[in-house]
Short mmCIF file of all heavy atoms in Angstrom, two decimals:
data_model
loop_
_atom_site.label_atom_id
_atom_site.label_comp_id
_atom_site.label_asym_id
_atom_site.label_seq_id
_atom_site.Cartn_x
_atom_site.Cartn_y
_atom_site.Cartn_z
N HIS A 186 1.18 21.07 12.23
CA HIS A 186 1.74 20.43 13.41
C HIS A 186 3.01 21.20 13.76
O HIS A 186 4.11 20.75 13.51
CB HIS A 186 2.05 18.95 13.16
CG HIS A 186 0.89 18.17 12.61
ND1 HIS A 186 -0.17 17.80 13.39
CD2 HIS A 186 0.63 17.71 11.36
CE1 HIS A 186 -1.04 17.12 12.64
NE2 HIS A 186 -0.57 17.06 11.41
N SER A 187 2.84 22.40 14.31
CA SER A 187 3.96 23.31 14.48
C SER A 187 4.35 23.45 15.94
O SER A 187 3.59 23.10 16.85
CB SER A 187 3.61 24.68 13.90
OG SER A 187 3.27 24.57 12.52
N GLY A 188 5.55 23.98 16.16
CA GLY A 188 6.04 24.21 17.51
C GLY A 188 7.45 24.76 17.47
O GLY A 188 7.99 25.04 16.38
N VAL A 189 8.06 24.91 18.63
CA VAL A 189 9.41 25.50 18.69
C VAL A 189 10.41 24.61 19.42
O VAL A 189 11.59 24.93 19.43
CB VAL A 189 9.36 26.89 19.37
CG1 VAL A 189 8.55 27.87 18.54
CG2 VAL A 189 8.81 26.78 20.80
N ASP A 190 9.95 23.51 19.99
CA ASP A 190 10.85 22.69 20.80
C ASP A 190 10.53 21.23 20.55
O ASP A 190 9.85 20.57 21.35
CB ASP A 190 10.70 23.05 22.28
CG ASP A 190 11.70 22.28 23.16
OD1 ASP A 190 12.75 21.88 22.63
OD2 ASP A 190 11.42 22.10 24.36
N LEU A 191 11.04 20.69 19.44
CA LEU A 191 10.78 19.30 19.09
C LEU A 191 11.60 18.38 19.97
O LEU A 191 12.82 18.46 19.99
CB LEU A 191 11.12 19.06 17.62
CG LEU A 191 10.74 17.68 17.06
CD1 LEU A 191 9.22 17.54 16.98
CD2 LEU A 191 11.36 17.47 15.69
N ASP A 192 10.91 17.52 20.70
CA ASP A 192 11.60 16.55 21.55
C ASP A 192 12.34 15.54 20.67
O ASP A 192 11.84 15.13 19.61
CB ASP A 192 10.58 15.83 22.43
CG ASP A 192 11.24 14.93 23.45
OD1 ASP A 192 11.52 13.76 23.10
OD2 ASP A 192 11.50 15.39 24.57
N GLU A 193 13.52 15.13 21.10
CA GLU A 193 14.33 14.20 20.30
C GLU A 193 13.58 12.91 20.00
O GLU A 193 13.72 12.33 18.93
CB GLU A 193 15.64 13.91 21.04
CG GLU A 193 16.59 13.01 20.27
CD GLU A 193 17.89 12.77 21.01
OE1 GLU A 193 18.20 13.56 21.93
OE2 GLU A 193 18.58 11.80 20.67
N SER A 194 12.77 12.46 20.92
CA SER A 194 12.04 11.21 20.73
C SER A 194 10.95 11.35 19.67
O SER A 194 10.42 10.35 19.18
CB SER A 194 11.41 10.76 22.05
OG SER A 194 10.41 11.68 22.47
N GLU A 195 10.60 12.58 19.30
CA GLU A 195 9.55 12.82 18.31
C GLU A 195 10.09 12.94 16.89
O GLU A 195 9.31 13.03 15.94
CB GLU A 195 8.77 14.09 18.67
CG GLU A 195 8.05 14.01 19.99
CD GLU A 195 7.33 15.31 20.33
OE1 GLU A 195 7.82 16.39 19.93
OE2 GLU A 195 6.29 15.25 21.00
N GLU A 196 11.39 12.95 16.72
CA GLU A 196 11.97 13.07 15.39
C GLU A 196 11.69 11.81 14.57
O GLU A 196 11.89 10.69 15.05
CB GLU A 196 13.48 13.30 15.49
CG GLU A 196 14.16 13.43 14.13
CD GLU A 196 15.67 13.55 14.24
OE1 GLU A 196 16.18 13.61 15.38
OE2 GLU A 196 16.32 13.59 13.18
N ASP A 197 11.22 12.00 13.36
CA ASP A 197 11.01 10.87 12.46
C ASP A 197 12.32 10.59 11.73
O ASP A 197 12.71 11.33 10.82
CB ASP A 197 9.90 11.19 11.45
CG ASP A 197 9.51 9.98 10.61
OD1 ASP A 197 10.20 8.94 10.70
OD2 ASP A 197 8.53 10.08 9.84
N ARG A 198 13.02 9.54 12.13
CA ARG A 198 14.34 9.24 11.60
C ARG A 198 14.28 8.31 10.39
O ARG A 198 15.32 7.95 9.82
CB ARG A 198 15.21 8.61 12.69
CG ARG A 198 15.46 9.53 13.89
CD ARG A 198 16.25 8.83 15.00
NE ARG A 198 17.43 8.17 14.47
CZ ARG A 198 17.73 6.89 14.66
NH1 ARG A 198 16.93 6.12 15.38
NH2 ARG A 198 18.83 6.36 14.16
N ARG A 199 13.12 7.92 9.96
CA ARG A 199 13.00 6.99 8.84
C ARG A 199 13.42 7.65 7.52
O ARG A 199 12.88 8.69 7.16
CB ARG A 199 11.57 6.48 8.73
CG ARG A 199 11.09 5.71 9.95
CD ARG A 199 9.63 5.36 9.84
NE ARG A 199 8.81 6.55 9.66
CZ ARG A 199 7.53 6.53 9.34
NH1 ARG A 199 6.91 5.38 9.16
NH2 ARG A 199 6.85 7.67 9.20
N ARG A 200 14.36 7.02 6.82
CA ARG A 200 14.83 7.54 5.54
C ARG A 200 14.74 6.49 4.43
O ARG A 200 14.85 6.85 3.25
CB ARG A 200 16.28 8.02 5.66
CG ARG A 200 16.48 9.17 6.62
CD ARG A 200 15.80 10.43 6.14
NE ARG A 200 15.95 11.53 7.08
CZ ARG A 200 15.09 11.83 8.05
NH1 ARG A 200 13.98 11.09 8.20
NH2 ARG A 200 15.30 12.84 8.86
N PHE A 201 14.56 5.24 4.79
CA PHE A 201 14.60 4.15 3.82
C PHE A 201 13.55 3.12 4.23
O PHE A 201 13.52 2.70 5.38
CB PHE A 201 16.01 3.53 3.83
CG PHE A 201 16.21 2.36 2.91
CD1 PHE A 201 16.74 2.55 1.64
CD2 PHE A 201 15.92 1.06 3.32
CE1 PHE A 201 16.98 1.46 0.80
CE2 PHE A 201 16.15 -0.02 2.49
CZ PHE A 201 16.67 0.19 1.22
N ARG A 202 12.70 2.74 3.30
CA ARG A 202 11.63 1.78 3.60
C ARG A 202 11.56 0.73 2.51
O ARG A 202 11.60 1.06 1.31
CB ARG A 202 10.28 2.49 3.68
CG ARG A 202 9.04 1.57 3.65
CD ARG A 202 7.77 2.38 3.70
NE ARG A 202 6.58 1.60 3.43
CZ ARG A 202 5.91 0.89 4.34
NH1 ARG A 202 6.35 0.87 5.58
NH2 ARG A 202 4.83 0.22 4.02
N ILE A 203 11.47 -0.53 2.89
CA ILE A 203 11.07 -1.59 1.99
C ILE A 203 9.99 -2.42 2.68
O ILE A 203 10.08 -2.73 3.86
CB ILE A 203 12.24 -2.48 1.51
CG1 ILE A 203 13.19 -2.85 2.64
CG2 ILE A 203 13.00 -1.79 0.39
CD1 ILE A 203 14.34 -3.74 2.17
N TRP A 204 8.95 -2.72 1.92
CA TRP A 204 7.77 -3.45 2.40
C TRP A 204 7.46 -4.49 1.32
O TRP A 204 7.09 -4.12 0.21
CB TRP A 204 6.63 -2.47 2.59
CG TRP A 204 5.34 -3.02 3.12
CD1 TRP A 204 4.98 -3.18 4.43
CD2 TRP A 204 4.20 -3.41 2.34
NE1 TRP A 204 3.69 -3.68 4.51
CE2 TRP A 204 3.20 -3.82 3.25
CE3 TRP A 204 3.93 -3.46 0.97
CZ2 TRP A 204 1.95 -4.28 2.82
CZ3 TRP A 204 2.69 -3.93 0.54
CH2 TRP A 204 1.72 -4.33 1.47
N VAL A 205 7.66 -5.78 1.64
CA VAL A 205 7.74 -6.78 0.58
C VAL A 205 6.93 -8.03 0.90
O VAL A 205 7.46 -8.96 1.54
CB VAL A 205 9.21 -7.17 0.30
CG1 VAL A 205 9.29 -8.06 -0.95
CG2 VAL A 205 10.09 -5.94 0.12
N PRO A 206 5.67 -8.12 0.47
CA PRO A 206 5.00 -9.42 0.43
C PRO A 206 5.48 -10.16 -0.83
O PRO A 206 5.62 -9.55 -1.89
CB PRO A 206 3.52 -9.06 0.33
CG PRO A 206 3.44 -7.57 0.47
CD PRO A 206 4.78 -7.01 0.11
N PHE A 207 5.73 -11.47 -0.73
CA PHE A 207 6.17 -12.21 -1.90
C PHE A 207 5.69 -13.65 -1.81
O PHE A 207 5.39 -14.17 -0.73
CB PHE A 207 7.69 -12.14 -2.06
CG PHE A 207 8.49 -12.81 -0.98
CD1 PHE A 207 9.00 -14.10 -1.14
CD2 PHE A 207 8.78 -12.15 0.22
CE1 PHE A 207 9.76 -14.70 -0.15
CE2 PHE A 207 9.53 -12.74 1.22
CZ PHE A 207 10.02 -14.04 1.04
N GLY A 208 5.61 -14.28 -2.97
CA GLY A 208 5.21 -15.67 -3.03
C GLY A 208 6.11 -16.44 -3.97
O GLY A 208 6.47 -15.93 -5.04
N THR A 209 6.49 -17.64 -3.59
CA THR A 209 7.25 -18.52 -4.48
C THR A 209 6.46 -19.79 -4.70
O THR A 209 5.38 -19.99 -4.13
CB THR A 209 8.62 -18.87 -3.87
OG1 THR A 209 8.43 -19.81 -2.80
CG2 THR A 209 9.34 -17.63 -3.34
N ASP A 210 7.01 -20.68 -5.54
CA ASP A 210 6.32 -21.95 -5.77
C ASP A 210 6.40 -22.89 -4.58
O ASP A 210 5.79 -23.96 -4.57
CB ASP A 210 6.86 -22.64 -7.02
CG ASP A 210 8.39 -22.63 -7.10
OD1 ASP A 210 9.04 -22.52 -6.03
OD2 ASP A 210 8.92 -22.73 -8.21
N ALA A 211 7.14 -22.48 -3.50
CA ALA A 211 7.28 -23.36 -2.33
C ALA A 211 6.65 -22.77 -1.08
O ALA A 211 6.28 -23.52 -0.17
CB ALA A 211 8.76 -23.63 -2.07
N TYR A 212 6.51 -21.46 -0.98
CA TYR A 212 6.01 -20.82 0.23
C TYR A 212 5.70 -19.36 -0.06
O TYR A 212 6.03 -18.83 -1.13
CB TYR A 212 7.04 -20.91 1.37
CG TYR A 212 8.41 -20.44 0.99
CD1 TYR A 212 8.76 -19.09 1.03
CD2 TYR A 212 9.38 -21.35 0.55
CE1 TYR A 212 10.02 -18.66 0.64
CE2 TYR A 212 10.64 -20.94 0.17
CZ TYR A 212 10.95 -19.58 0.22
OH TYR A 212 12.19 -19.16 -0.17
N ALA A 213 5.06 -18.69 0.91
CA ALA A 213 4.81 -17.25 0.84
C ALA A 213 5.64 -16.58 1.92
O ALA A 213 6.06 -17.20 2.91
CB ALA A 213 3.33 -16.96 1.06
N GLY A 214 5.90 -15.31 1.74
CA GLY A 214 6.69 -14.58 2.72
C GLY A 214 6.33 -13.11 2.78
O GLY A 214 5.63 -12.59 1.90
N PHE A 215 6.81 -12.48 3.82
CA PHE A 215 6.59 -11.03 3.99
C PHE A 215 7.65 -10.49 4.94
O PHE A 215 8.01 -11.14 5.92
CB PHE A 215 5.20 -10.74 4.57
CG PHE A 215 5.04 -9.31 5.02
CD1 PHE A 215 4.87 -8.30 4.10
CD2 PHE A 215 5.09 -8.98 6.37
CE1 PHE A 215 4.75 -6.98 4.51
CE2 PHE A 215 4.97 -7.67 6.79
CZ PHE A 215 4.80 -6.66 5.85
N PHE A 216 8.15 -9.28 4.61
CA PHE A 216 8.99 -8.57 5.57
C PHE A 216 8.91 -7.09 5.26
O PHE A 216 8.53 -6.67 4.15
CB PHE A 216 10.45 -9.04 5.51
CG PHE A 216 11.20 -8.60 4.28
CD1 PHE A 216 11.97 -7.45 4.29
CD2 PHE A 216 11.12 -9.33 3.10
CE1 PHE A 216 12.67 -7.04 3.15
CE2 PHE A 216 11.81 -8.93 1.97
CZ PHE A 216 12.58 -7.78 1.99
N HIS A 217 9.21 -6.27 6.25
CA HIS A 217 9.34 -4.84 6.02
C HIS A 217 10.32 -4.27 7.03
O HIS A 217 10.55 -4.82 8.11
CB HIS A 217 7.99 -4.12 6.08
CG HIS A 217 7.48 -3.87 7.46
ND1 HIS A 217 7.63 -2.67 8.10
CD2 HIS A 217 6.82 -4.66 8.33
CE1 HIS A 217 7.09 -2.73 9.30
NE2 HIS A 217 6.58 -3.93 9.47
N THR A 218 10.92 -3.15 6.64
CA THR A 218 11.89 -2.50 7.51
C THR A 218 11.95 -1.01 7.20
O THR A 218 11.61 -0.57 6.09
CB THR A 218 13.29 -3.13 7.34
OG1 THR A 218 14.16 -2.66 8.35
CG2 THR A 218 13.89 -2.79 5.98
N HIS A 219 12.37 -0.24 8.19
CA HIS A 219 12.75 1.15 8.02
C HIS A 219 14.17 1.32 8.54
O HIS A 219 14.54 0.69 9.55
CB HIS A 219 11.82 2.10 8.80
CG HIS A 219 10.43 2.16 8.25
ND1 HIS A 219 9.43 1.34 8.71
CD2 HIS A 219 9.89 2.93 7.27
CE1 HIS A 219 8.32 1.61 8.05
NE2 HIS A 219 8.57 2.56 7.17
N GLU A 220 14.94 2.17 7.87
CA GLU A 220 16.29 2.44 8.30
C GLU A 220 16.52 3.95 8.38
O GLU A 220 15.83 4.73 7.71
CB GLU A 220 17.30 1.81 7.33
CG GLU A 220 17.22 0.30 7.27
CD GLU A 220 18.21 -0.29 6.28
OE1 GLU A 220 19.03 0.47 5.71
OE2 GLU A 220 18.16 -1.52 6.06
N GLY A 221 17.49 4.33 9.20
CA GLY A 221 17.87 5.72 9.32
C GLY A 221 18.86 6.14 8.25
O GLY A 221 19.24 5.36 7.37
N GLU A 222 19.31 7.37 8.35
CA GLU A 222 20.17 7.96 7.33
C GLU A 222 21.43 7.15 7.06
O GLU A 222 21.91 7.06 5.93
CB GLU A 222 20.54 9.39 7.76
CG GLU A 222 21.47 10.12 6.83
CD GLU A 222 21.80 11.50 7.34
OE1 GLU A 222 20.94 12.14 7.99
OE2 GLU A 222 22.93 11.96 7.10
#
Side-chain angles (χ1 to χ4, degrees):
H186 307 286
S187 302
V189 296
D190 184 24
L191 187 68
D192 187 273
E193 183 178 341
S194 66
E195 297 178 329
E196 180 184 356
D197 187 352
R198 298 176 50 234
R199 298 174 303 169
R200 297 294 178 268
F201 178 95
R202 166 181 169 85
I203 44 179
W204 182 87
V205 188
F207 66 98
T209 74
D210 45 24
Y212 51 84
F215 168 75
F216 72 95
H217 78 98
T218 191
H219 292 92
E220 297 179 5
E222 178 181 327

